[in-house]
Amino acid sequence: MTPQPLAVAPQPPATASVFTQRFSSTPRGARLARRLALHQLDVWGVPHGSTASDAAAVLVAELAANAVTHGRVPGRDFELVVRLAGRTLRIEVSDARGERRPSAGDVAEPAPLAEEGRGLLLVAALADRWEVLDRASVGKTVAAELELPH
């Protein structure tokens, strides 16, 4: 007598939702990136005004502002990729300046009256993980991940 195979409950396919867009390396492009990312999250079921949406808004805003401020190369856009896989939200912002890389492990506290330098502190505080990667063609990618509540 041959053993019967165990019945396995059908699992839904593991799919990832991805939004990719390039934006002009301007403050207006950074604002548009944040707005479109939040709209896309709402479409995917992460509603506007939720804790996860608000955290994602800050992450996109800070990473896009850094790309525009520190990673800008005249005539080159920055790219935003928002990926939702299961309950993990990954936000990637790529720019064309590979030589100006933040260090994911060494975010220094700015001087109390400094007008800049707090963006990566916010990213480190809100993201569950973040890293800086080399970009395949030119530049760098800064990625931050959030684990969304169930």
Side-chain angles (χ1 to χ4, degrees):
M1 178 175 213
T2 60
Q4 293 291 332
L6 294 175
V8 177
Q11 296 289 324
T15 59
S17 302
V18 180
F19 170 79
T20 303
Q21 181 73 45
R22 289 186 183 218
F23 297 93
S24 62
S25 290
T26 63
R28 186 176 188 162
R31 283 190 305 273
L32 183 59
R34 182 184 55 81
R35 291 178 58 97
L36 290 179
L38 292 181
H39 173 74
Q40 188 61 57
L41 288 175
D42 190 55
V43 168
W44 289 340
V46 180
H48 286 286
S50 66
T51 302
S53 177
D54 290 347
V58 173
L59 291 173
V60 172
E62 290 302 331
L63 295 178
N66 283 352
V68 168
T69 305
H70 306 294
R72 183 176 184 274
V73 173
R76 302 292 298 266
D77 296 338
F78 73 91
E79 182 178 64
L80 170 69
V81 177
V82 180
R83 185 176 285 113
L84 181 61
R87 301 307 305 164
T88 301
L89 177 66
R90 184 174 174 91
I91 298 165
E92 300 175 356
V93 175
S94 301
D95 63 52
R97 293 281 297 270
E99 72 277 6
R100 296 195 69 185
R101 298 173 61 93
S103 174
D106 186 27
V107 179
E109 183 87 24
L113 298 177
E115 292 185 15
E116 59 184 35
R118 289 175 179 77
L120 290 178
L121 284 173
L122 290 171
V123 171
L126 291 173
D128 293 306
R129 294 167 295 285
W130 72 282
E131 62 185 339
V132 181
L133 305 166
D134 290 328
R135 196 167 178 205
S137 55
V138 64
K140 67 183 171 301
T141 298
V142 182
E145 289 186 350
L146 282 174
E147 294 299 328
L148 302 179
H150 293 283

